[in-house]
Amino acid sequence: MEFILVTSQAQPNVALIQLNRPKELNALNLQLMGELRDALKQLDEDENVRAIVITGNERAFAAGADIKQMAGKTAIDMLNIDQFSTWDQIRKTKKPIIAAVSGFALGGGCELAMTCDMIIASETAMFGQPEIKIGVMPGAGGTQRLTKAIGKAKAMEMVLTGKFMPAEEAEKQGLINRVVPVELYLEEAFKLAGEIAQMSPVAIKLAKESVNRAFETQLDEGLHFERKNFYLCFASEDQTEGMNAFVEKRRPEFKGK
Ligand code: CO8
């Protein structure tokens, strides 16, 4: 594995996955996501593992999908790459996953944290869906999960302005479980994972499945709708302009084409 580190017994019955592209703020390229999918599948099958913690580093959980990798893509390229089958596989993990978030959790990074079952954040964590600023929109569940977590008005504002939400506010809005000082976020995530790991693995699996079921039937339809619109963004000149502007470190000029 090049872009993630896996420790299968970080604590008794608890595994840790660390996203490890620190220079790129853990931008989620295709390889990293593939590695994450494979690691989760293995841990899900390992009977010594009962709970999984996913983390980044202090500066970034993940600053989103890798814009440099996506910048030149067309809608059809995006459709053919079919990166969302990886996300779907991650979503199917049966064991509980806790995201331990510090620093940036943006775009795909925020979506990855929300795909986990619980989120423990450091006081420096920043959540956001800033895709709109680079001429696209969330594509890995952001419009659906954020709206369900914090309600339409707040989600709409975040998705349409790209504004970040600090950890304290995210806790108030119900997006995350709790905020702790930066030196404690990983420890707190382990504590929660350790508590869960003491329960019946069978009951935990069934309970997780049932809680997810509370919104999953509508979620499937919502995710499908979101994906089509996300791909459609790649048919616009604004997507090319927005992503190239990011890569070239300048302001984008959107033309509505
Ligand atoms: N993709 C690629 N590279 C990135 C990304 C990214 N998302 N984020 C940061 N980087 C790189 C920067 O380009 C920079 O690299 P370099 O030194 O080579 O120029 C390095 O990481 C450090 O970043 P900055 O210098 O920009 O650090 P700052 O502290 O000045 O700013 C920010 C930090 C605010 C986080 C800034 O980097 C930023 O705005 N990043 C982009 C955030 C963003 O727009 N995220 C959404 C991406 S699109 C998306 O996630 C769509 C998801 C839908 C589908 C999911 C499929 C996987």
Side-chain angles (χ1 to χ4, degrees):
M1 304 267 187
E2 188 181 347
F3 295 132
I4 63 169
L5 302 171
V6 183
T7 316
S8 64
Q9 290 290 316
Q11 286 223 332
N13 303 119
V14 176
L16 174 68
I17 297 179
Q18 184 178 16
L19 310 179
N20 192 32
R21 289 187 81 201
K23 275 210 300 225
E24 294 82 6
L25 305 185
N26 289 331
L28 306 169
N29 65 11
L30 294 172
Q31 187 181 335
L32 184 154
M33 290 307 297
E35 290 178 7
L36 181 59
R37 173 202 56 209
D38 294 346
L40 282 170
K41 191 162 185 294
Q42 261 181 27
L43 296 172
D44 218 21
E45 286 162 6
D46 181 343
E47 47 182 51
N48 293 314
V49 172
R50 293 184 174 189
I52 301 160
V53 174
I54 299 183
T55 197
N57 54 55
E58 242 179 70
R59 186 167 176 221
F61 177 72
D66 191 325
I67 303 170
K68 292 167 189 166
Q69 198 172 51
M70 285 187 299
K73 299 279 187 280
T74 66
I76 302 304
D77 292 334
M78 293 302 284
L79 185 73
N80 287 338
I81 291 169
D82 184 27
Q83 60 199 308
F84 297 118
S85 57
T86 304
W87 286 76
D88 286 339
Q89 196 58 47
I90 290 172
R91 184 159 76 94
K92 285 186 193 143
T93 307
K94 296 191 175 76
K95 289 174 186 167
I97 309 176
I98 297 164
V101 175
S102 181
F104 299 114
L106 305 177
C110 186
E111 290 169 314
L112 178 61
M114 291 191 291
T115 304
C116 296
D117 301 306
M118 285 157 280
I119 304 175
I120 300 292
S122 94
E123 58 206 351
T124 65
M126 283 284 181
F127 297 86
Q129 298 290 160
E131 291 90 339
I132 205 75
K133 293 186 175 168
I134 52 168
V136 292
M137 56 172 278
T143 63
Q144 305 301 300
R145 291 198 179 89
L146 191 65
T147 307
K148 284 183 201 302
I150 67 174
K152 177 178 166 180
K154 296 275 181 194
M156 193 69 91
E157 189 174 342
M158 283 178 78
V159 171
L160 299 194
T161 66
K163 264 189 232 156
F164 300 164
M165 181 180 274
E168 203 180 317
E169 175 74 5
E171 184 184 21
K172 265 195 228 144
Q173 297 301 332
L175 178 61
I176 65 175
N177 292 68
R178 55 191 158 275
V179 189
V180 295
V182 65
E183 60 279 11
L184 292 180
Y185 75 99
L186 199 52
E187 193 179 318
E188 185 70 18
F190 278 142
K191 213 158 92 186
L192 179 57
E195 205 176 313
I196 291 167
Q198 289 172 37
M199 309 297 172
S200 152
V202 176
I204 287 286
K205 205 180 287 181
L206 295 174
K208 167 174 168 164
E209 196 183 16
S210 305
V211 172
N212 280 337
R213 204 51 192 260
F215 62 84
E216 265 187 352
T217 34
Q218 298 135 330
L219 183 68
D220 268 342
E221 203 183 313
L223 287 176
H224 183 69
F225 194 81
E226 181 191 75
R227 273 170 208 183
K228 294 287 173 208
N229 283 348
F230 178 69
Y231 289 146
L232 196 57
C233 290
F234 282 75
S236 73
E237 289 176 21
D238 283 351
Q239 170 270 330
T240 312
E241 168 62 11
M243 293 197 174
N244 284 343
F246 177 82
V247 174
E248 292 157 15
K249 299 185 188 294
R250 60 174 174 81
R251 274 181 169 280
E253 270 188 52
F254 293 124
K255 298 209 170 93
K257 288 187 183 164

